[in-house]
Amino acid sequence: MIRSLLLASAACALALPAAAETIAIVNARIEPVSSATITAGTLVIKDGKIAAVGASVPVPAGAKVIDAKGGVVTPGLVAPSSNLGASEIGGVRETRDDGTGNALSAAFDIAYGVNPASPMIGLARDGGITSSAVTPVLSGSGAGSHVHADDGEVEEMTAGKEGPGDPPLFGGQAAFIRLKAGAPDIVEASKLAVTVSLGQSGARAAGGSRGASLVLIRSALEDARAFAARRAAFEQGATRDFGLSRLDLQALIPVVQGKVPLLVRVSRAADIRQALKLAADEKIRIVLEGAEEGWMVAPEIAKAGVPVIVDPQADLPESFEVLGSRLDNAARLNAAGVTVAINGSRDFNNLRQERLNAGLAVANGLPYAAGLAGVTLIPAKIWGQDSKIGSLDVGKIADVVVWNGDPLETTSWPLNVFVGGVEQPQDSRQTQLRDRYASGDQSGYPAAYR
């Protein structure tokens, strides 16, 4: 028994990455994102942070040297909106912790359900992703107002709510994770935003009408302000009735105070205008996700200073609210002055699409620098993490990826991935299964069959 435990402990130790060390990545094309490309340079990592970067940086004595052989070095990719770590199998409800039932709405905190041992995390890291915003969805939707899906399906959700009070229109509170292998807790920050869906999903949740959803959202924000101002009176039962629970109202207080944004999932141009008007009237911060028809109202989005998270693959009229979707949406938004972050399919097993989607946007007119920033620095800024990650600036945490070629090309892949200056294992559940069953012993069968 003791021998088995020792062997298991040794196996776990071997699976974990080594501690941070001094590393010099040489002969690399370096894309700092925050500054111009260094066509041939060196990047030094020390004590988990970027210590030096430039064309003539000396290699520190005793440093581990990684020869990029002309490859590309970028910041670790940042997924701007996903359910990574909070959802495992789309068709198995018990494995999905990215939404809640009718008991909670804005108060649902996705951070509590993040699983650092999720096999999907290694898969995402193999695609160069080192951190991600984890954003909840309306219960039962599995998506948001509208997202790209490999099978072309858009999941439906039921409308309205049984019982007293307003229907649950808010998905809950978002978190931010960093994908460090072996870490017992990968949540970097929680309660970063509250999610809400407008358009078709919001209409269904409100009972069938876009107008109803907006009235209820405005009412919820008004209730949150009243609750914040008279909390003691509320506890004594001396206030009017509110449409949401105490927990939901409490979660909305940072939104109405402007401390955290409302992540608004919206597609149609008319609905985007309503989201912008909501933000202006209520004096709240918002981030738009989806915005398939954003190009139609790009000047208005830019004037409002609202950042947008887009999926460049979304170019098909899959529903009435995305009839105007097109491949150059990101390019048109960027040209108008909108801050654009680029998403892959937000589902856990398709985050690798993020960099390819950036390449697709570049192929359809988005400047290359904007495409790379859209998967690194911009999502880091949206979620308030840009002082730590998102670019290769001296002093920032060393979330770094070495690529064998252009990271926005399908024929390139990561050679080395660092999170906090520690090189990460480049395996996933798929590669582990491959290695387990690839070859057998003298009996001709893999070890699992003996």
Side-chain angles (χ1 to χ4, degrees), residues 341-417:
I342 295 174
N343 225 8
S345 176
R346 59 167 271 120
D347 280 342
F348 42 84
N349 60 344
N350 288 315
L351 295 185
R352 64 186 182 276
Q353 293 176 354
E354 180 185 22
R355 68 183 182 92
L356 307 180
N357 282 357
L360 181 64
V362 170
N364 284 275
L366 184 68
Y368 183 89
L372 189 56
V375 294
T376 53
L377 186 55
I378 288 175
K381 281 184 177 178
I382 287 174
W383 300 120
Q385 304 299 308
D386 55 304
S387 65
K388 297 181 286 185
I389 61 171
S391 61
L392 300 180
D393 296 322
V394 172
K396 283 194 174 183
I397 295 173
D399 287 1
V400 178
V401 183
V402 182
W403 306 82
N404 69 336
D406 186 340
L408 305 190
E409 289 285 350
T410 59
T411 53
S412 302
W413 60 86
L415 299 174
N416 311 86
V417 177

Side-chain angles (χ1 to χ4, degrees), residues 12 75 89 118 159 162 198 207 245 262 273 351 355 390 397 405 449:
C12 289
I89 304 171
S118 168
E162 296 181 0
L198 296 184
S245 70
L262 201 62
R273 286 194 175 101
L351 295 185
R355 68 183 182 92
I397 295 173
Y449 285 95

Side-chain angles (χ1 to χ4, degrees), residues 3-90:
R3 181 174 179 273
S4 298
L5 288 173
L6 289 173
L7 289 172
S9 298
C12 289
L14 288 172
L16 298 179
E21 56 186 332
T22 301
I23 297 164
I25 303 169
V26 302
N27 299 326
R29 190 187 99 200
I30 301 173
E31 297 284 358
V33 178
S34 58
S35 56
T37 300
I38 302 167
T39 55
T42 297
L43 183 140
V44 176
I45 298 171
K46 184 177 181 181
D47 298 328
K49 295 189 175 181
I50 298 171
V53 58
S56 56
V57 171
V59 175
K64 176 183 176 180
V65 177
I66 295 176
D67 188 351
K69 299 178 180 178
V72 181
V73 176
T74 71
L77 306 188
V78 182
S81 181
S82 79
N83 54 14
L84 183 64
S87 188
E88 299 290 339
I89 304 171

Side-chain angles (χ1 to χ4, degrees), residues 50-247:
I50 298 171
V53 58
S56 56
V57 171
V59 175
K64 176 183 176 180
V65 177
I66 295 176
D67 188 351
K69 299 178 180 178
V72 181
V73 176
T74 71
L77 306 188
V78 182
S81 181
S82 79
N83 54 14
L84 183 64
S87 188
E88 299 290 339
I89 304 171
V92 181
R93 186 66 191 91
E94 292 76 11
T95 71
R96 305 201 66 159
D97 290 313
D98 54 348
T100 184
N102 286 340
L104 289 175
S105 179
F108 170 60
D109 191 343
I110 201 169
Y112 292 123
V114 170
N115 176 19
S118 168
M120 301 303 167
I121 289 174
L123 184 63
R125 202 168 47 230
D126 282 353
I129 293 173
T130 58
S131 57
S132 174
V134 186
T135 56
V137 296
L138 278 172
S139 180
S141 75
S145 61
H146 176 82
V147 296
H148 168 78
D150 286 346
D151 57 8
E153 295 292 328
V154 178
E155 297 184 29
E156 299 293 330
M157 61 173 289
T158 56
K161 172 188 177 180
E162 296 181 0
D166 293 343
L169 298 176
F170 300 93
Q173 299 172 91
F176 194 86
I177 62 174
R178 292 182 56 239
L179 312 187
K180 186 174 182 179
D185 184 4
I186 59 175
V187 176
E188 187 78 3
S190 60
K191 299 177 174 62
L192 289 182
V194 174
T195 67
V196 68
S197 293
L198 296 184
Q200 291 177 182
S201 288
R204 284 194 296 269
S209 168
R210 285 173 163 82
S213 67
L214 284 161
V215 167
L216 291 172
I217 290 169
R218 288 175 180 270
S219 175
L221 298 176
E222 180 183 348
D223 284 356
R225 288 191 181 92
F227 172 76
R230 303 191 62 200
R231 189 175 303 193
F234 174 87
E235 299 294 347
Q236 297 172 3
T239 63
R240 63 177 174 81
D241 290 339
F242 294 132
L244 297 179
S245 70
R246 174 181 62 82
L247 292 174

